[in-house]
Amino acid sequence: MKILVTVGTTAFDELIIEIDRAFKHDTNVSIMAQVSEKSCCETHNIRTFDFCDNLQPYIEQADVVVTHAGAGSVYSMLESGKKLVVVPNLQRADKHQLELAKYVHDNKFAIACLDLKTLKPCILQAVSTDFSPYQREKFFGHSIIRDLLI
């Protein structure tokens, strides 16, 4: 199994450390992780690379993607159609990541992993789950916003 982990531009070392630990004895698992430039964790079983604008080649190779619950990352991964595990960074002061993780889980678009101790079972569940296909809704509120600003 090939796993891609992405954390965007904000460090989420707890996620990287946990996935490294969880799969340390699984020789049939290959993990590639996009880490933040601010990341300071050492990994033993993961190949890492810094944030980049084009994750598509990595996404195409992955069987499952594990992502932080940043909106940009989550929605781009949903549009890719890959099996997905969304992990909110609960160390953040705002709670929008938790809300987004619950939204994708409740709508059966992805698995939400709300406790890092359950990361491995969440990943294994995602691989065997048939998710509802995500369809991006076009935004038609430009005129409403414009009218509010005038």
Side-chain angles (χ1 to χ4, degrees):
M1 173 173 47
K2 293 181 181 179
I3 302 171
L4 171 64
V5 183
T6 178
V7 299
T9 57
T10 304
F12 193 1
D13 288 351
E14 297 84 3
L15 172 58
I16 303 299
I17 290 166
E18 180 55 30
I19 197 163
D20 193 34
R21 185 203 63 75
F23 288 96
K24 69 181 175 187
H25 298 298
D26 291 284
T27 57
N28 61 337
V29 174
S30 170
I31 305 169
M32 178 73 78
Q34 174 271 309
V35 296
S36 164
E37 293 175 1
K38 300 170 191 151
S39 179
C40 59
C41 65
E42 290 186 29
T43 62
H44 303 286
N45 308 301
I46 300 176
R47 292 177 294 151
T48 63
F49 61 97
D50 289 336
F51 178 81
C52 65
D53 290 330
N54 184 12
L55 285 176
Q56 197 57 40
Y58 301 103
I59 295 168
E60 289 172 4
Q61 294 177 24
D63 297 310
V64 63
V65 177
V66 177
T67 184
H68 71 123
S73 295
V74 169
Y75 286 110
S76 67
M77 295 304 159
L78 287 173
E79 289 174 9
S80 78
K82 284 290 181 174
K83 304 283 186 164
L84 184 63
V85 177
V86 178
V87 185
N89 184 346
L90 300 175
Q91 303 301 316
R92 294 178 55 97
D94 56 56
K95 298 301 176 201
H96 76 277
Q97 287 199 5
L98 180 58
E99 293 167 1
L100 181 53
K102 287 181 179 180
Y103 169 79
V104 298
H105 187 83
D106 291 347
N107 285 282
K108 298 180 177 49
F109 297 137
I111 298 293
C113 178
L114 305 180
D115 181 352
L116 285 174
K117 292 181 180 98
T118 65
L119 183 59
K120 186 174 183 178
C122 286
I123 292 169
L124 298 175
Q125 181 183 358
V127 169
S128 63
T129 299
D130 289 325
F131 294 107
S132 299
Y134 172 77
Q135 295 292 320
R136 178 172 63 155
E137 295 178 26
K138 292 187 177 186
F139 179 70
F140 295 105
H142 302 296
S143 61
I144 296 169
I145 293 171
R146 185 190 67 238
D147 293 344
L148 289 172
L149 295 174
I150 297 177

